[in-house]
Amino acid sequence: MTLRGPGEGRAARRRAAKRIRRRRRLRATREIPLLVGIALGIALLIKTFLVQAFVIPSGSMEMTIQIDDRVLVDKLTPWFGWEPERGEVVVFRDPGGWLAADPQQAQRGDEPVVIEKARQALTWVGLLPKDDEQDLIKRVIGVGGDTVACCDEQGRVTVNGVAVDEPYIYPGDAPSLIEFEVKVEPGHVFVMGDHRSNSSDSRYHLDDPGRGTVPVDLVVGRAVVIAWPYAHWARLDGTSAFAAVPDP
């Protein structure tokens, strides 16, 4: 039996407690990178296959979607054969020549290295949009086989000969000031912005191959909700406006 002087037992317990605390701190330090890696992996998985947030840079979808609103886009259902329907709001990649270069891209070359690397990391997992992201957001007006035209005697867009009353159009805007008639090819969609006087949509590309229609293969997904700012929160729909339109 080892004899201890007064206070030696308490000192030993304090040293043991310090060792335990050091081991816990070391374990936590080792676990943090693993937890961060798992979180980033989950975020990347969600962004790639499930849902992705997009920042709206223009007013082409006002008043439905405002500039700098964040919308959530469903990227899961396209994996199961979903195709766009009339009235849905969709995000799609630039078919070619629809987007002008972002003048802000050149300004970001002067950012500090730390901020630049942080931006790249957040962009990689989908928490920030890419500087060179070539995506647009519009509303589907016609699908493959449809004949979309403008305008009837009341100035409304028609689909397969039926006039469509569009409650989402920007207040004061006409459905279209451009006259057109387009037969949408199978596997394509005809799209228009809700702010018709501020949207370079299918109507402005009638001389392009496909007459301004967008291949469904370029559709990233369906915009389902405005997620931010909270005051703008709303589900995105519009299919009911086309309920009376017959199949082509």
Side-chain angles (χ1 to χ4, degrees):
M1 181 176 177
T2 303
L3 297 178
R4 295 174 177 168
E8 290 184 5
R10 289 193 298 272
R13 287 195 295 270
R14 285 197 296 269
R15 288 193 296 271
K18 288 180 180 179
R19 287 195 297 271
I20 292 172
R21 286 196 295 269
R22 282 197 298 270
R23 285 197 294 268
R24 287 176 177 173
R25 285 196 295 268
L26 182 60
R27 189 182 303 117
T29 302
R30 292 173 177 173
E31 289 176 352
I32 287 174
L34 176 62
L35 294 175
V36 171
I38 292 173
L40 291 176
I42 293 173
L44 182 61
L45 179 66
I46 292 173
K47 172 224 174 178
T48 303
F49 298 106
L50 300 179
V51 65
Q52 183 176 354
F54 285 82
V55 181
I56 306 305
S58 74
S60 67
M61 285 296 294
E62 293 173 332
M63 298 290 291
T64 306
I65 306 174
Q66 307 292 315
I67 296 174
D68 289 336
D69 279 358
R70 271 66 168 171
V71 300
L72 297 183
V73 174
D74 171 18
K75 301 177 70 175
L76 176 64
T77 49
W79 290 85
F80 297 95
W82 166 88
E83 291 192 0
E85 297 182 12
R86 305 181 198 102
E88 290 183 330
V89 177
V90 296
V91 170
F92 57 95
R93 294 187 291 277
D94 186 356
W98 284 42
L99 282 175
D102 182 359
Q104 295 181 351
Q105 292 185 34
Q107 299 175 7
R108 288 177 181 167
D110 298 332
E111 287 182 342
V113 174
V114 174
I115 295 179
E116 181 182 354
K117 296 300 182 183
R119 183 187 298 279
Q120 291 174 355
L122 293 174
T123 298
W124 186 71
V125 298
L127 298 179
L128 284 178
K130 294 180 181 178
D131 286 345
D132 60 350
E133 197 82 75
Q134 299 294 293
D135 295 321
L136 301 99
I137 184 167
K138 305 290 180 190
R139 189 180 299 274
V140 176
I141 304 299
V143 297
D146 284 345
T147 297
V148 184
C150 185
C151 294
D152 71 350
E153 294 180 355
Q154 283 75 45
R156 297 171 297 182
V157 171
T158 65
V159 181
N160 299 334
V162 174
V164 181
D165 292 313
E166 302 179 88
Y168 42 74
I169 292 179
Y170 187 85
D173 268 11
S176 179
L177 296 178
I178 300 174
E179 294 185 0
F180 61 88
E181 183 172 337
V182 175
K183 178 71 176 291
V184 183
E185 298 177 4
H188 289 66
V189 290
F190 190 92
V191 298
M192 298 170 71
D194 290 357
H195 195 169
R196 297 290 160 84
S197 63
N198 189 32
S199 177
S200 297
D201 46 44
S202 290
R203 297 169 296 161
Y204 290 83
H205 299 274
L206 298 174
D207 294 331
D208 294 355
R211 300 209 61 199
T213 60
V214 177
V216 171
D217 290 344
L218 296 182
V219 175
V220 175
R222 177 172 61 96
V224 293
V225 66
I226 301 171
W228 186 263
Y230 179 75
H232 294 177
W233 189 95
R235 288 184 63 250
L236 295 171
D237 198 6
T239 56
S240 59
F242 297 81
V245 173
D247 291 333

